[in-house]
């Protein structure tokens, strides 16, 4: 038997690793990592980039000398060659993202912008349509402020903030709320609207248009990368559990118990 892992008194062979990876739901993650390595295999780094990536990795892992390096390698069951690949892996992944989707970010941003825009808004919600209508008129006529009535009548956590919520992205609130806010002007009070069991009153306070800055670029790159990775996993990965004879199946079960 080819023993590849010992945990206390339990010795595991390479044949026994597959059912364990499946049992602990690690196979999809392993497949993802292999897909990534295949994708970045042709990506290169300059000596300067490699050295900097290694320094940053060692600093993050608090590796300051050869003794600590050996302890780290032993702890992770890794060879120096594997570690060298690991230290530049994140850099290669970022290069792969840029090469694959860097020139597609502008149209993708335009497509997503409506969901990335942020809003600050005020909300009152109640289950009584009559109360909602009365509160709407009192705010509209200036008899009371939105904040006063939200603190007194709103039946959600927003009552603690005088009804004020945000800033949040437009894809965060209920779709119907997002639709009303997207069509509103700052300061515009929307009449009572029913959403499920609630009657809500909304006022858009501030609309902040999303910009394709560095943070947004990185976020969109990550979204495109994760979407690609999920598609690769669904289309190109097939798990094939090894066959076990009854004797081996029983022996394996005994080891787990």
């Amino acid at each position: 038997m080819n023993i590849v892992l010992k945990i206390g008194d339990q010795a595991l062979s390479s044949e026994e690793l597959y059912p364990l990876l499946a049992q602990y739901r690690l196979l999809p993650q392993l497949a993802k990592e292999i897909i990534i390595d295949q994708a970045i295999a042709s990506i290169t780094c300059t000596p300067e980039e490699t050295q900097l990536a290694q320094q940053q990795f060692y600093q993050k892992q608090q590796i300051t000398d050869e003794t600590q390096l050996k302890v780290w390698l032993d702890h992770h069951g890794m060879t120096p060659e594997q570690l060298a690949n690991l230290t530049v892996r994140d850099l290669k992944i970022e290069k792969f993202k840029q090469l694959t989707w860097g020139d597609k970010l502008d149209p993708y941003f335009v497509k997503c912008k409506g969901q990335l825009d942020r809003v600050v808004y005020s909300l009152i919600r109640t289950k009584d349509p009559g109360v909602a209508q009365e509160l709407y008129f009192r705010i509209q006529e200036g008899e009371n402020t939105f904040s006063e009535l939200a603190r007194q009548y709103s039946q959600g956590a927003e009552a603690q903030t005088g009804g004020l919520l945000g800033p949040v992205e437009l894809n965060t609130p209920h779709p119907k709320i997002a639709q009303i806010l997207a069509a509103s002007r700052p300061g515009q009070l929307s009449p009572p609207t029913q959403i499920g069991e609630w009657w809500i009153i909304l006022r858009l306070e501030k609309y902040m248009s999303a910009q394709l800055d560095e943070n947004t670029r990185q976020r969109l790159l990550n979204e495109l990368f994760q979407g690609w990775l999920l598609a690769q996993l669904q289309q190109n990965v097939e798990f094939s559990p090894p066959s076990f004879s009854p004797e081996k199946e029983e022996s394996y079960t005994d080891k787990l118990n």
Side-chain angles (χ1 to χ4, degrees):
M1 182 181 292
N2 180 27
I3 301 300
V4 295
L5 179 63
K6 290 192 68 176
I7 305 173
D9 296 331
Q10 185 177 0
L12 298 172
S13 68
S14 55
E15 184 182 44
E16 293 167 325
L17 280 183
Y18 185 99
L20 283 176
L21 290 171
Q23 177 179 330
Y24 297 119
R25 297 173 295 175
L26 295 174
L27 283 173
Q29 185 58 40
L30 176 61
K32 286 181 182 179
E33 301 300 340
I34 293 173
I35 290 169
I36 292 171
D37 279 346
Q38 291 174 347
I40 66 174
S42 62
I43 303 293
T44 60
C45 299
T46 67
E48 293 77 16
E49 289 174 332
T50 300
Q51 183 179 10
L52 179 59
Q54 184 184 66
Q55 290 173 350
Q56 291 174 339
F57 182 89
Y58 283 8
Q59 183 177 12
K60 184 176 180 180
Q61 299 298 322
Q62 299 181 332
I63 299 172
T64 58
D65 56 40
E66 290 297 324
T67 300
Q68 291 178 340
L69 176 59
K70 185 178 185 308
V71 170
W72 194 95
L73 289 171
D74 290 343
H75 177 73
H76 292 85
M78 194 177 293
T79 66
E81 291 76 18
Q82 289 173 320
L83 176 59
N85 290 329
L86 179 62
T87 57
V88 295
R89 191 170 188 263
D90 286 346
L91 176 58
K92 287 186 174 184
I93 291 173
E94 291 306 316
K95 286 190 172 190
F96 172 74
K97 293 177 187 177
Q98 289 288 346
L99 288 170
T100 308
W101 298 286
D103 59 352
K104 300 178 177 65
L105 284 184
D106 285 347
Y108 185 63
F109 172 72
V110 172
K111 177 183 176 181
C112 299
K113 184 181 179 302
Q115 300 300 312
L116 297 174
D117 290 345
R118 296 188 299 161
V119 290
V120 177
Y121 65 100
S122 293
L123 166 72
I124 293 175
R125 54 178 159 171
T126 175
K127 295 181 180 179
D128 188 327
V131 170
Q133 196 66 45
E134 179 188 348
L135 297 180
Y136 171 71
F137 286 129
R138 287 167 67 177
I139 296 170
Q140 191 178 45
E141 297 299 322
E143 295 179 17
N144 300 93
T145 67
F146 199 114
S147 178
E148 289 171 346
L149 296 181
R151 290 183 186 278
Q152 187 174 355
Y153 291 100
S154 197
Q155 296 177 291
E158 66 281 346
Q160 303 299 318
T161 60
L164 193 64
L165 297 169
V168 295
E169 293 179 353
L170 264 177
N171 62 358
T172 302
H174 186 281
K176 199 166 184 178
I177 292 178
Q179 184 180 12
I180 294 171
L181 294 173
S184 299
R185 301 180 308 275
Q188 181 176 342
L189 184 67
S190 298
T193 303
Q194 186 175 15
I195 299 180
E197 62 180 345
W198 297 102
W199 286 85
I200 65 165
I201 305 168
L202 290 171
R203 184 173 69 194
L204 178 63
E205 305 294 349
K206 189 176 182 180
Y207 195 98
M208 292 165 280
S209 183
Q211 305 296 320
L212 189 56
D213 55 20
E214 190 55 40
N215 288 337
T216 304
R217 292 182 68 87
Q218 188 61 53
R219 172 180 171 176
L220 296 181
L221 274 177
N222 292 340
E223 285 183 7
L224 290 167
F225 174 70
Q226 291 299 328
W228 167 83
L229 187 56
L230 180 60
Q232 293 295 310
L233 184 66
Q234 293 172 339
Q235 297 168 10
N236 299 319
V237 176
E238 180 179 346
F239 299 117
S240 301
S243 300
F244 284 99
S245 66
E247 294 79 10
K248 286 186 177 180
E249 184 83 34
E250 183 179 354
S251 173
Y252 171 70
T253 305
D254 290 341
K255 286 188 177 184
L256 288 181
N257 297 330

